[in-house]
Structure formats: C-alpha cells, structure tokens
C-alpha cells in the first residue's frame, strides 16, 4: 500500500501575510480536514492553534515543513464557505487573511502559548467530575487566578496541554481571560405598589375621604384612582402610569412620600425576559406593505438583492417579519444586521414577540464564552439561533444554511470598520456572503445611500418603496428657523431661537418629549486667548484641546492627552483666556436655565463611553424619566420613541459645510433620520432646523422630503467630480513621526503610482488632522473608473506598495489602505 505524505496549509492567529505549510504526522492522515484547528509550533517554542485551510501532497520546495503537533477539533470549525468569505474580504479590502481571522473568529478559539487562562465563571467547583489532569490545572488556576498556557505547563509539569485545555473549555471548566468584560447591564424598572395598610378596603376608603376634603390633595385622589386602574396583582410599572397624560407626576410622588404607595426597583433583563412569544396578533399588512412584500417575494429568484426604501415608520420591520417567516419555513437562517449594538435592544423585543427563542444576538461586546457559544450554536443551526441579530461582526458567524440577510439602516456609516484592518463595509460584505449561500438580501433605509439607490435604479437591485407612514400618520412638519433673521431681530437666546424655545416649551407643557440634535463636528468648547489668540493644543496631535466640564480639564479627542485648565495665557502672559464654542454639555446647561423643571439628559461620546450607559439613557428616555434629550449622531439612528413631539436641529450648517464629497448626502440622511424621531403613532411631530442658510438646496430637500431631488443632484456632482458610484476610491495613508521624511516618501510613492495610474492618483495631501499620536500622515487617493478591473488595479497597487516599502529609503513608513473609504 502506498503511504502518502500529506501537508496542510494553515492560517495562524498572527498578523502574518501568508498561509504556512506543516507536515501531517502519519497517524493523522485519515482524520485531518480543512477547517480544523491544529497545534503548531511557530517561532521560538511558541505554540499556536492554527486553522487548516488546505490538505495537500505538495512538498514545500524551499524549506522543510515541520510536523504539526496535534488536532484540536473533531469536526471543522470553519467551513469552505467561510474561508471563501474571509479570502474575498482580504482580497477586496487589501489585507492579510490573518487579520480577517482576527475579527472573524472569537478569541476563545485562538488558543496560543501566551493565552491567559482563568477558571470559567460558571464552573460549579465540582471537582469529583474532573479527571486527574483537569484537577491539577483547576487547582493551579484557583491558587493563581490567571495563568498563561506556558505557565500552566511549567507549574503542572503537564505537556502538550492544548487538547486538554480545549476540552476543558468546551466543558465550561476554564476559559480565556479578556480585558473587556462588558456585559449587558440589566434594565432597572420602578414598580409602585400599595402599602399593605391600604389594602384593607376600610383604610383605603378613609384615605380617599381624607384626600377629597382639600382641593390641594384632589390630584392625589386622581393619581390613586389611576394607580388602582392600572395595577395588576397590586403593582404597576411607574413608567406605564406616566404614559397616561392625565396623571400628575407630583401627585404620584407625594403619594410615595406619604408611603401610601411604595416603590420597588426591579431588574428586568432586556434580552431574555421577553422570550416567551406572547402569541402576538398576526401581522396584517396594509395594501402598500402587501404590495411591497409581494413584489419582493415574487421576484426573489431573479433579484436576490432588494433595496427597501421606506419612509420612517412605514412599517419596514413588519415586512421584515413576514420575510423572516418565509425564510424560516424553508428551515433557513436569517441574519439581521443593525448599525449599532444599542439599537438591537429595541428590535429584539419586537422580533421575540413573533419568533420567541429563535432569536439570538451576536456582537463583539459579548464576552469570550458567550461568543464561542453562539458560534457553535449557529454552526449547528440550532433552533434558538435561527435568527441572528447583530452588528457588523455578525457577518462572520458560521451559518449552517443562511437564507436571508437584512441590512437595516443600510446607509449608516457604522457598517464600515475603520480600524484596524480589515476595513470592511458590512453591507457590502453581507451581499457577497449572501451570494455564497445563495441567500437573499434586503437593504433597508428611509434615506438610502447614493450608491445603493443608484444600483437599484440601474436594475442591479430590486427597488421597492414605501412612501407613507403606517396608519396614515403624517410625516413630521419641518420648519426652518433662520438664524440670521433671528439674530437681527434680537430673538436669539444664546444658541436657541425664540421659535425653537417656544416649541420646546409647548411640548413640555403637554408632557411630551423633546430631542435636540447637535452634530458632533464643529461644536465643542475650547479655550482661546483674547489677546494673542493662542489656543491650547495637543502635544501629540495637531488639534486643539476640548474643554470638559465634568473633569474640569482640557482633553484631546484623538489620543486622550489632557491638561488642567489655565487662566494665564502661556504665550503672552495675560489673563485673557476665554471659553469659545459650545458643546452638548453647554447646551444641557443652558437648557436647565430656560427650563428649570425639565429633566434633561445628554447622549454623546462622553456620556456613553460604555454601552450600558447608552442603553440606560435610551431606556430612561423610553420610560419618560427624561424630558429633553440632547445628543449627537447617536440619537439619529433608528430608535423609536412614542412621545417625542419636537425635534430640534441646533445647527444644520456645520454638517453642510464639512469638506467631504458626502457632506450633502450625510446631512440629508442625518437631518431626515433625526426628524423621523418626531411624532409617531397618533400625533404629527414637528421639527425645527436652525440654520443661517434657509434656502440651501440640501435644507430644502430635507423639508420637502425630496429624496430623489437630493439623489439626482448628488449624482450629477459625483459624475463630474469623479466619485462613487461612478468611481471606486482607494485611500492610502502613509505615516511617520518625522514630517519631512514622510513628505519625501509620500511624494516618491505618489509619483511611482502615477507611472501606472496616471491622473487617477490624487495627493499626497495632509488630512484635516495632520498629526495623531505623534505620527504625521499623508493621504493619497486613487480614483478608478467603475469599468476598470478592480482586482487588476489592486494587484498593481500591491506591487507598487511592496516595492516602496522594500525601498531602503522608505522602509520605516507605516501605511494603511482603505478601500471604499467612507
Ligand atoms: P419603520 O421600521 O419603517 O420605521 P416600523 O416597522 O417601526 O417602521 O412601524 C412603525 C409603527 O407602525 C410601529 O409601531 C409598527 O408596529 C406599526 N405597524 C407597521 N406596520 C404595521 C402593520 N401591518 N400592522 C400593525 N402595526 C403596524
Ligand atoms: Zn495670549
Ligand atoms: Zn492628542
């Protein structure tokens, strides 16, 4: 019998460009499969779990392949489809497959010598169930809390522990440590219940008589009656009571103070409790929705990608639910992508109502154990992970049989990963993924991206539009508040026009909520010397420092460098340092002066450093513990609030005049999206846009809901100025700490590119912030006609780049490639 010598090409969990070849120890010939993990030695005595990409018989020519040491998985962890997907991402976004693996594969699967191991939080301490070696390892970990694989081997004297550790991980005895242990914080709800004294009819009656005596306590009688009306089993959520407009909050609070009503805070899991499908009413689509649904379904086989362009509140989600039902009937899986993790909390409840336990969530904030667990369940196609709701990284799950991908808010920039590589766009990657599975894709938005809409118009995607809100609710009425006028007429109070303030007041009087939107760009508090105009800047980056009241410090938004506030100007020595500009913090402060009784909160990068605080603010606003929410971009995203009657856009101009070819498109999207938060269900909302340019075309388009107007004018500009969708962009950023050296290198590189690409090369140019963390940056932009083969161009670019980096003069340059920069 012939003895075959087999080799495997493996992918290492390291930032190395290639596959590496190892030899298969003879005993493993019959069991080795692509997609399994094997233990290999790489470098000095370091062990890694590597993924087998290919099994073959080609002896490497220029080196002697080492044997791999052992196999970790009985069945492949990664399928051929996934490999193809990873490799496409690597090719398209021009990065090593290894970096795709780094985002794709939960780190729990990337066991290496230096991996830090801890006892699994769920381990029950049941030592008797462990075998000898497992016991030794657990005991070592209990004493030392955390140990690397290397240390474990040293301390226990055990060798070749990878398979053992892997099996202990599978059994939830141990797990890998991670720095970030962010978990969902459960949501806290206040419940009201009647003091047991008043549960006796007699006492309650007396109380009523007592309260009815005086006019000052009448409101408490009403509040109490409402409480009794709404309470089930003696208690009710405070938020539910407050939904009733006729109830007085202060009366309710007085009853609490008098201990007639008691408050209890209860933890409610946002994610799990809604599990039991609450036998929902079947969805009956209205005629417009029905038509949309049927168009999608009937053309599904020819047009695998649909762009669902539906105004806010048109009931896109209902259509998704119907499409999911169809997909589940075929026993296939559904991937539902959202741009932000925080948004999943709202949608998950709606989906669980229909699909119960079939809905799972996946995103990078879950911890290692949770992610590995989800991974395995999705791979097996388990019932409780038929529908996966996730942010960007969920495209990497090992779907057993994917039937449908929904990309909600497809225009959203959060779908693009900026750092580190792979700098992929999850929407675009999702379409490729769907093609690999023969699955369908729905891109949905009230304000589609110019690219997607263009593809839909050209027949590349199927276009389905919903133009009316569900139930005949009108789209909000949009007013422009002309800041030039208002200033002239002395109607400005700080940054608010009298017009906007009036509308806020009206809403508060009616117990309705208000959202104020302030674009992140442009407005923040800075210091400046009135005498010499010196501005405190960052030591490491070319930006001015931003004032933060909470910590009373000046801080760099790029690197975190911070210094205390000074009162003397270090440049001229005068004491004329003044505060300039205004940020969300300042707005919050000023509002408190105008509306002393309103409960005001702020949602921006500072208040939402952790995802849990983001969720807390959203749920406080949902439950009406906040009257006015001031925020940046974060509040524009597809959140549904029932009680918002006014949305104010504080300054439209700093969005419009941002130097970026997408500025109008983004302004239109942001303004329309934030407007869509006003008035849902039973009342028409209002939007006030404050601007110095009330007749600007982009503002007119927003007011008139003229998406196609915006689209058509953008299309003309994009064609003339050579931008997407007519051209593909690739941005190459070069970085170095020495400005001059970088300059020279960038000029040289650009000229090399020009020999091949000619006029398609733009730059080098300094980005708006030319230095970050002590590294200067120069950007070079490649603009390529759609008709050119992108892969040929990328190959050429790679060659030129590699030659450049090998060039002895420029080998210290760091570079970043961004394909389809946003
Ligand atoms: P979108 O996602 O387009 O913004 P939603 O799906 O959130 O819109 O729908 C807006 C509101 O209308 C929601 O409260 C939703 O429950 C309701 N709605 C939409 N379609 C229907 C329907 N066919 N039957 C009942 N309610 C619907
Ligand atoms: Zn000065
Ligand atoms: Zn800095």
């Amino acid at each position: 019998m012939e003895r075959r010598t087999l080799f495997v090409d493996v992918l290492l969990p390291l930032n190395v460009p290639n596959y590496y070849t190892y030899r298969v120890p003879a005993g493993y010939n019959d069991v080795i499969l692509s997609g399994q993990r094997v233990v290999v030695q790489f470098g000095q005595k370091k062990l890694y779990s590597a993924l087998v990409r290919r099994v073959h018989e080609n002896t490497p020519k220029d080196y002697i392949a080492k044997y791999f040491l052992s196999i970790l998985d009985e069945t492949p962890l990664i399928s051929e489809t996934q490999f193809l997907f990873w490799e496409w991402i690597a090719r398209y976004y021009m990065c090593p497959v290894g970096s795709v693996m780094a985002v794709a594969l939960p780190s729990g699967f990337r066991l290496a010598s230096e991996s830090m191991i801890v006892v699994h939080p769920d381990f029950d301490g049941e030592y008797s169930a462990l075998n000898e070696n497992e016991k030794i390892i657990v005991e070592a970990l209990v004493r030392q809390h955390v140990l690397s694989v290397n240390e474990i081997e040293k301390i226990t004297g055990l060798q070749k522990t990878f398979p053992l550790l892997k099996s202990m991980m599978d059994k939830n005895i141990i797990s890998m440590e991670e720095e970030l242990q962010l978990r969902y914080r459960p949501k806290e709800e206040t419940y009201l219940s009647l003091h047991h004294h008043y549960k006796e009819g007699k006492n309650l009656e007396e109380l009523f008589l007592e309260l009815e005596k005086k006019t000052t306590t009448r409101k408490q009688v009403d509040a109490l009656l409402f409480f009794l009306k709404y309470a089930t089993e003696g208690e009710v959520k405070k938020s539910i009571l407050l939904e009733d407009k006729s109830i007085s909050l202060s009366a309710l609070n007085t009853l609490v103070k008098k201990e007639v009503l008691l408050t209890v805070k209860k933890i409610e899991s946002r994610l799990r409790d809604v599990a039991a499908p609450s036998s929902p009413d079947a969805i009956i689509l209205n005629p417009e929705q029905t038509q949309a649904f049927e168009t999608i379904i009937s053309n599904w086989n020819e047009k695998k990608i649909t762009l669902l362009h539906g105004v806010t509140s048109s009931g896109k989600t209902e259509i998704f639910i119907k499409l999911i039902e169809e997909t589940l009937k075929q026993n296939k899986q559904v991937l539902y992508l959202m741009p932000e993790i925080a948004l999943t909390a709202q949608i998950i409840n709606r989906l669980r109502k229909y699909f119960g336990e079939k809905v799972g969530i996946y995103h990078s904030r879950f911890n290692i154990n949770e992610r590995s667990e989800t991974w395995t369940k999705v791979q097996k196609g388990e019932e409780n992970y038929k529908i996966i709701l996730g942010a960007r990284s969920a495209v990497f799950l090992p779907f057993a049989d994917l039937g449908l991908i929904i990309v909600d808010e497809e225009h959203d920039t959060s779908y693009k990963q900026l750092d580190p590589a792979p700098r992929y766009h999850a929407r675009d990657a999702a379409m490729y993924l769907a093609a690999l599975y023969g699955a369908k894709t729905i891109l949905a938005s009230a304000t589609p991206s110019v690219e997607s809409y263009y593809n839909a118009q050209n027949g590349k995607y199927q276009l389905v539009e919903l133009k009316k809100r569900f139930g005949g609710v009108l789209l909000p009425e949009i007013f422009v508040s002309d800041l030039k006028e208002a200033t002239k007429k002395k109607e400005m109070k700080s940054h608010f026009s009298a017009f906007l303030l009036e509308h806020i007041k009206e809403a508060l009087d009616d117990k309705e909520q208000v959202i104020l939107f302030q674009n992140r760009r442009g407005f923040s508090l800075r210091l400046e010397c009135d005498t010499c105009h010196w501005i405190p800047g960052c030591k490491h980056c070319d930006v001015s420092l931003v004032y933060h009241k909470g910590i009373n410090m000046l801080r760099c938004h790029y690197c975190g460098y911070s210094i205390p506030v000074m009162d003397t100007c270090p440049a001229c020595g005068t004491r004329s340092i003044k505060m300039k500009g205004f940020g969300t913090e300042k707005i919050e402060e000023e509002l408190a002066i105008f509306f002393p009784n309103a409960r005001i909160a702020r949602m921006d990068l500072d208040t939402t450093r952790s995802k849990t605080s983001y969720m807390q603010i959203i749920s406080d606003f949902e439950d009406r513990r906040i009257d006015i929410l001031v925020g940046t971009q974060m509040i524009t995203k597809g959140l549904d609030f029932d009680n918002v009657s006014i949305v104010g856009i504080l300054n439209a101009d700093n969005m419009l005049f941002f130097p970026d070819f997408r500025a109008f498109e983004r302004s239109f999207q942001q303004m329309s999206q934030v407007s869509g938060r006003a008035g849902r269900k039973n009342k028409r909302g209002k939007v006030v846009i404050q601007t110095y340019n009330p007749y600007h075309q982009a503002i007119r388009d927003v007011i008139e809901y003229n998406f196609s107007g915006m689209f058509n004018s953008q299309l003309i500009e994009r064609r003339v100025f050579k931008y997407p969708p007519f051209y593909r962009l690739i941005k190459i950023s070069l970085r170095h700490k020495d400005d001059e050296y970088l300059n020279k290198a960038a000029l040289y590189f650009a000229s090399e590119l020009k020999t091949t690409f000619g006029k398609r090369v733009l730059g080098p140019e300094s980005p708006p912030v030319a230095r970050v963390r002590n590294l200067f940056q120069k950007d070079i932009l490649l603009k390529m006609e759609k008709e050119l083969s992108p892969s040929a161009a990328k190959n050429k670019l790679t060659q030129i780049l590699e030659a450049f980096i090998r060039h002895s003069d420029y080998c210290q340059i760091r570079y970043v490639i961004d394909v389809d920069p946003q």
Side-chain angles (χ1 to χ4, degrees):
M1 225 187 69
E2 185 193 9
R3 254 207 111 71
R4 289 180 309 157
T5 306
L6 291 185
F7 295 92
V8 288
D9 294 342
V10 303
L11 202 52
L12 283 156
L14 298 169
N15 194 8
V16 288
N18 298 315
Y19 290 104
Y20 286 80
T21 304
Y22 285 83
R23 196 167 158 181
V24 179
Y28 289 127
N29 271 3
D30 297 333
V31 286
I32 187 74
L33 290 170
S34 164
Q36 282 171 329
R37 282 173 303 162
V38 292
V39 182
V40 301
Q41 188 178 334
F42 186 81
Q44 292 284 324
K45 287 196 166 172
K46 286 258 175 75
L47 297 186
Y48 294 96
S49 54
L51 270 175
V52 176
R53 173 66 184 104
R54 223 170 276 110
V55 184
H56 59 81
E57 295 182 40
N58 312 325
T59 315
K61 296 212 173 53
D62 15 349
Y63 61 96
I64 297 172
K66 277 187 247 172
Y67 283 105
F68 70 70
L69 304 175
S70 57
I71 300 183
L72 281 184
D73 304 296
E74 271 170 42
T75 54
L77 189 65
I78 303 296
S79 68
E80 180 65 20
T81 311
Q82 282 174 282
F83 276 129
L84 291 174
F85 182 53
W86 293 9
E87 284 161 355
W88 176 79
I89 291 201
R91 266 196 323 275
Y92 187 89
Y93 294 103
M94 304 186 72
C95 68
V97 186
S99 9
V100 182
M101 171 158 105
V103 295
L105 194 64
S107 49
F109 292 120
R110 280 181 268 143
L111 195 57
S113 302
E114 62 264 28
S115 300
M116 302 306 285
I117 307 289
V118 294
V119 175
H120 193 289
D122 294 345
F123 176 63
D124 52 10
E126 195 50 71
Y127 280 80
S128 55
L130 305 179
N131 69 31
E132 267 321 296
N133 289 344
E134 289 173 347
K135 232 181 268 174
I136 296 174
I137 291 174
V138 170
E139 275 165 5
L141 286 172
V142 166
R143 269 194 311 273
Q144 315 256 345
H145 302 298
V146 48
L147 291 169
S148 70
V149 175
N150 266 342
E151 289 168 328
I152 288 178
E153 296 188 346
K154 236 181 265 158
I155 292 172
T156 61
L158 296 170
Q159 276 173 0
K160 297 192 181 159
T161 56
F162 274 52
L164 176 60
L165 293 173
K166 188 247 170 197
S167 98
M168 290 174 77
M169 282 188 202
D170 290 347
K171 290 189 271 185
N172 283 355
I173 301 169
I174 58 171
S175 84
M176 275 198 228
E177 197 202 23
E178 59 192 329
E179 310 102 74
L180 278 176
Q181 282 277 9
L182 272 178
R183 279 164 175 274
Y184 273 112
R185 200 173 62 201
K187 169 173 153 182
E188 225 178 36
E189 270 286 356
T190 305
Y191 279 78
L192 293 172
S193 62
L194 198 60
H195 190 287
H196 64 85
H197 176 73
Y198 299 106
K199 283 185 181 153
E200 241 165 79
K202 188 173 56 105
N203 296 339
L204 189 61
E205 234 164 82
E206 271 174 21
L207 175 68
F208 269 122
L209 287 176
E210 178 74 29
L211 293 175
E212 274 166 355
K213 268 188 213 148
K214 280 186 265 165
T215 41
T216 45
T217 49
R218 283 278 152 74
K219 281 219 167 114
Q220 293 171 37
V221 175
D222 293 340
L224 202 51
L225 284 171
F226 272 114
F227 167 81
L228 294 170
K229 177 174 152 202
Y230 284 106
T232 46
E233 293 176 26
E235 64 175 24
V236 62
K237 276 188 212 168
K238 195 171 175 188
S239 56
I240 290 183
L241 272 188
L242 291 178
E243 268 171 31
D244 199 311
K245 295 247 160 58
S246 26
I247 216 163
S248 146
L249 177 65
S250 67
L252 209 55
N253 287 342
T254 313
L255 289 173
V256 172
K257 233 180 265 162
K258 289 183 178 169
E259 293 194 345
V260 174
L261 295 179
L262 307 175
T263 60
V264 192
K265 290 207 190 285
K266 288 193 193 177
I267 302 290
E268 275 193 356
S269 161
R270 299 190 132 266
L271 303 181
R272 290 288 161 202
D273 285 1
V274 257
S278 51
S279 57
D281 303 331
I283 292 174
I284 300 168
L285 300 179
N286 70 16
E288 210 194 355
Q289 291 172 324
T290 307
Q291 205 196 344
F293 173 72
E294 278 171 3
T295 312
I296 298 173
I297 291 281
S298 57
N299 298 321
W300 237 356
N301 286 325
E302 299 92 78
K303 295 275 182 175
K304 292 211 160 54
I305 303 173
T306 301
L307 174 63
L308 178 58
H309 174 211
V311 298
T312 49
S313 254
S314 53
K316 294 186 285 297
T317 318
E318 269 65 25
I319 295 181
F320 298 159
I321 290 172
K322 285 284 194 186
L323 293 169
I324 293 172
E325 272 175 1
E326 290 299 312
T327 313
L328 293 184
K329 272 188 215 155
Q330 302 165 20
N331 202 24
K332 292 189 172 183
Q333 290 164 307
V334 177
L335 169 62
Y336 189 135
L337 291 173
M338 305 278 304
E340 288 278 348
I341 298 156
L343 297 182
T344 56
Q346 280 201 339
I347 199 75
I348 187 102
N349 292 343
R350 281 174 80 175
L351 292 183
R352 285 242 166 96
K353 221 170 94 192
Y354 288 92
F355 304 110
E357 289 283 2
K358 288 202 174 82
V359 191
I361 302 191
Y362 183 81
H363 54 67
S364 56
R365 305 275 166 168
F366 279 146
N367 71 30
I368 281 186
N369 302 317
E370 290 164 327
R371 270 185 286 156
S372 313
E373 196 183 317
T374 306
W375 179 278
T376 314
K377 288 184 169 158
V378 170
Q379 190 165 43
K380 289 191 190 141
E382 279 189 15
E383 274 307 304
N384 54 357
Y385 281 86
K386 278 288 184 214
I387 306 161
I388 298 289
L389 197 60
R392 198 166 63 212
S393 60
V395 294
F396 292 112
L397 280 169
F399 296 97
D401 192 2
L402 191 58
L404 171 67
I405 304 183
I406 295 165
V407 185
D408 204 0
E409 312 288 347
E410 68 88 27
H411 66 279
D412 199 293
T413 43
S414 308
Y415 280 124
K416 171 91 173 171
Q417 169 148 321
L418 297 178
D419 259 316
R423 296 177 176 79
Y424 67 105
H425 197 299
R427 172 196 62 211
D428 301 344
M431 289 188 275
Y432 187 82
L433 184 70
L436 283 174
Y437 281 95
K440 320 286 196 277
T441 310
I442 305 286
L443 311 178
S445 174
T447 52
S449 63
V450 167
E451 280 98 326
S452 296
Y453 201 75
Y454 178 74
N455 283 334
Q457 272 208 332
N458 281 351
K460 202 168 156 192
Y461 309 157
Q462 164 160 256
L463 180 61
V464 174
E465 305 198 78
L466 292 170
K467 303 205 154 147
K468 286 192 230 101
R469 282 188 156 185
F470 180 77
V473 180
L474 292 172
L475 284 161
E477 198 173 353
I478 308 182
F479 302 93
V480 171
S481 170
D482 183 346
L483 294 183
K484 240 183 252 166
E485 274 289 303
T487 313
K488 230 188 284 165
K489 291 190 183 155
K490 304 218 158 35
E491 286 178 355
M492 290 300 288
K493 280 193 183 169
S494 178
H495 303 285
F496 303 91
S497 63
F499 185 75
L500 177 56
L501 287 177
E502 252 163 54
H503 277 88
I504 297 176
K505 179 167 182 304
E506 213 173 277
L508 294 177
D509 287 347
D510 289 348
K511 291 196 167 185
E512 289 160 347
Q513 289 165 295
V514 177
I515 287 180
L516 295 178
F517 171 69
Q518 170 67 328
N519 187 275
R520 195 187 304 139
R521 287 167 171 164
F523 283 84
S524 43
L525 281 181
R526 285 149 218 277
L527 299 188
E528 189 177 326
C529 171
D530 258 0
T531 309
C532 73
H533 300 290
W534 174 84
I535 295 168
C538 177
K539 222 164 103 179
H540 313 291
C541 315
D542 282 348
V543 290
S544 43
L545 297 172
V546 175
Y547 175 66
H548 284 258
K549 181 165 166 276
I551 48 174
N552 196 33
M553 299 273 274
L554 298 168
R555 205 178 141 85
C556 171
H557 277 189
Y558 286 82
C559 73
Y561 171 75
S562 35
I563 54 169
V565 174
M566 68 289 289
D567 47 15
T568 308
C569 170
C572 70
T574 62
R575 295 174 67 90
S576 43
I577 297 271
K578 292 274 153 58
M579 198 73 81
K580 306 269 155 150
F582 81 141
T584 41
E585 231 178 277
K586 186 75 189 260
I587 298 168
E588 194 188 3
E589 224 176 271
E590 290 183 354
L591 279 171
I593 301 169
F594 301 138
F595 305 105
N597 295 322
R599 293 162 299 174
I600 304 165
R602 167 167 69 96
M603 179 142 97
D604 58 20
L605 269 183
D606 293 321
T607 59
T608 55
R609 288 253 172 252
S610 79
K611 285 289 162 186
T612 50
S613 52
Y614 192 146
M615 308 253 281
Q616 190 62 48
I617 296 174
I618 290 172
S619 77
D620 282 351
F621 194 62
E622 272 176 347
D623 300 343
R624 306 192 190 172
R625 288 187 285 266
I626 297 170
D627 301 313
I628 306 178
L629 184 59
V630 183
T632 53
Q633 263 77 337
M634 294 179 174
I635 52 173
T636 64
K637 311 212 166 171
L639 295 163
D640 293 348
F641 303 111
D642 288 337
N643 190 42
V644 175
S645 63
I646 279 287
V647 164
I649 296 173
L650 292 170
N651 187 316
D653 304 330
N654 60 342
M655 288 184 257
L656 286 174
F657 301 112
F658 196 79
D660 179 89
F661 76 95
R662 287 185 215 272
F664 287 4
E665 179 188 353
R666 295 260 187 272
S667 308
F668 181 88
Q669 285 162 349
Q670 276 181 13
M671 284 192 262
S672 309
Q673 291 284 342
V674 72
S675 301
R677 306 306 128 224
R680 296 173 84 101
K681 294 235 163 96
N682 40 33
K683 193 175 168 184
R684 187 173 190 194
K686 287 181 188 168
V687 178
V688 176
I689 302 179
Q690 298 197 135
T691 174
Y692 285 96
N693 300 277
Y695 299 105
H696 194 290
Q697 193 52 47
I699 301 232
R700 301 324 299 180
D701 287 343
V702 172
I703 298 174
E704 289 156 17
Y705 292 97
N706 189 0
F707 176 80
S708 56
M710 183 282 293
F711 174 75
N712 290 327
S713 63
Q714 276 306 294
L715 218 52
I716 295 171
E717 294 209 354
R718 302 282 178 91
R719 201 192 288 278
V720 172
F721 296 106
K722 303 194 165 144
Y723 281 110
F726 303 104
Y727 287 75
R728 293 174 210 274
L729 306 183
I730 301 180
K731 189 170 87 177
I732 306 111
S733 305
L734 305 182
R735 295 177 186 158
H736 195 265
K737 59 182 194 302
D738 182 343
D739 199 13
E740 240 171 78
Y741 174 79
L742 176 69
N743 246 334
K744 223 175 82 202
L747 284 170
Y748 171 79
F749 179 59
S751 73
E752 287 294 287
L753 280 178
K754 278 176 191 158
T755 56
T756 299
F757 294 104
K759 288 210 170 101
R760 298 183 186 90
V761 182
L762 275 83
E765 241 179 64
S766 292
V769 179
R771 185 181 54 128
V772 172
R773 292 170 210 258
N774 287 325
L775 289 178
F776 288 93
Q777 181 169 323
K778 287 280 179 197
D779 293 339
I780 293 162
L781 197 62
L782 261 182
K783 282 185 176 177
M784 280 169 317
E785 302 87 318
K786 262 282 157 69
E787 300 75 43
L788 285 187
S789 152
S791 54
K794 284 171 190 168
N795 286 342
K796 198 72 206 156
L797 169 61
T798 307
Q799 280 171 22
I800 299 171
L801 193 62
E802 279 174 0
F804 168 69
I805 291 303
R806 276 196 309 267
H807 194 297
S808 56
D809 285 352
Y810 305 120
C811 55
Q812 292 174 36
I813 296 283
R814 288 198 226 163
Y815 67 91
V816 164
I817 305 181
D818 191 357
V819 178
D820 303 339
Q822 288 296 298

